Amino acid sequence: MKKVKVGVFKCGNIGTAPLLELLLDELADREDISVRTVTTGAKMLAEEVLEALPKIFDFKPDFIIFISPNPAVEGPRKAMDILLERRIPSIFISDAPGKRLKEEFEKRGFGYIIVMGDPIIGARREFLDPTEMAIFNSNVIKVLAITGVYKIIYQEIDRIIHCYKEETKLELPKLIIDTDNIRDRSDFRNPYALAKAMAAYELTKKIAEINTRACFVEKER
């Protein structure tokens, strides 16, 4: 059996990131994949990426999942250039700001999964508290799990793994996970539960809008 090597590179953090590689092999008993994760921690600077990214190449992955907030900033942009030069199939997973790079991802041959309901925490630096951050992210993770977002991401990545195993044509995902995806791809059989899930996801999208404005737009308020 061919063992597919999956490289995961985390640059900064979004709610999708902490459990990403665990979604693929939560029982640690899959024999068809090998996964390695490298991270820059909370930082997203270009120099952090330049130092850390080569470590994932040592693993010789079949494909790479690059996950970060806003991929338009310098660290993820530097990673795009390096990954393009290396010619390793790569999937970018990001939050709502990543939607602005949709055309660029496609032009450069990258796959992408944009999670519209993965909000930034709404606290300016002087007020940000580690405990608050942990509670906020745990709530985001809960919503992403219950609404089926994690399952959609898992299915897309597992589809790529099977392409390698079966040696079939590789088609990287081009997906923006919005409320319609939850409606169309969820396993909810109870219409009421589905409506509640869609409402919860809409709320996380609104949280993202409000918190982004609070952190980066409003001044002296």
Side-chain angles (χ1 to χ4, degrees):
M1 177 188 296
K2 175 178 173 57
K3 181 172 286 191
V4 181
K5 301 175 80 171
V6 183
V8 178
F9 191 88
K10 300 181 181 182
C11 180
N13 182 67
I14 55 177
T16 311
L19 300 177
L20 178 65
E21 64 270 43
L22 303 182
L23 298 175
L24 302 176
D25 191 14
E26 74 279 6
L27 296 177
D29 60 358
R30 286 186 67 167
E31 297 181 356
D32 60 338
I33 62 171
S34 181
V35 181
R36 291 292 183 279
T37 300
V38 175
T39 178
T40 61
K43 292 182 172 59
M44 299 175 62
L45 300 175
E47 54 262 37
E48 300 283 341
V49 170
L50 287 170
E51 180 182 353
L53 191 56
K55 295 178 174 62
I56 203 73
F57 300 139
D58 294 339
F59 177 56
K60 295 181 172 57
D62 290 296
F63 69 97
I64 288 176
I65 302 166
F66 186 99
I67 182 164
S68 77
N70 191 359
V73 301
E74 60 172 329
R77 279 206 169 275
K78 177 59 68 174
M80 284 188 217
D81 295 337
I82 296 171
L83 292 171
L84 192 63
E85 182 180 330
R86 286 276 185 157
R87 298 180 181 274
I88 299 176
S90 301
I91 303 164
F92 279 76
I93 300 179
S94 190
D95 53 0
K99 186 177 180 180
R100 296 194 294 266
L101 273 68
K102 174 179 176 290
E103 288 76 16
E104 183 175 349
F105 286 144
E106 294 179 0
K107 182 178 179 180
R108 304 183 83 175
F110 295 124
Y112 58 86
I113 300 174
I114 308 300
V115 184
M116 299 300 292
D118 194 338
I120 184 175
I121 189 168
R124 296 179 188 269
R125 179 174 298 178
E126 59 268 29
F127 302 121
L128 189 58
D129 173 80
T131 302
E132 179 191 6
M133 180 275 297
I135 294 170
F136 179 86
N137 278 282
S138 70
N139 287 330
V140 172
I141 287 170
K142 188 181 298 183
V143 172
L144 296 178
I146 291 172
T147 58
V149 172
Y150 278 163
K151 183 174 182 180
I152 293 171
I153 293 171
Y154 162 79
Q155 289 172 337
E156 289 295 324
I157 297 172
D158 207 46
R159 178 179 61 79
I160 299 301
I161 291 169
H162 280 280
C163 285
Y164 278 99
K165 288 170 58 179
E166 304 297 328
E167 298 183 348
T168 57
K169 182 180 179 181
L170 184 65
E171 293 186 6
L172 297 176
K174 298 176 181 178
L175 180 62
I176 296 176
I177 301 181
D178 212 335
T179 313
D180 290 344
N181 301 101
I182 293 171
R183 180 193 63 210
D184 297 337
R185 297 184 58 169
S186 71
D187 291 332
F188 288 103
R189 297 183 181 180
N190 184 316
Y192 178 73
L194 174 59
K196 297 286 278 187
M198 293 172 66
Y201 195 70
E202 281 293 318
L203 284 172
T204 61
K205 288 166 56 182
K206 182 57 66 174
I207 290 168
E209 293 175 17
I210 294 171
N211 288 356
T212 298
R213 179 174 178 178
C215 290
F216 303 115
V217 178
E218 295 291 342
K219 305 295 182 184
E220 305 301 328
R221 294 290 292 272

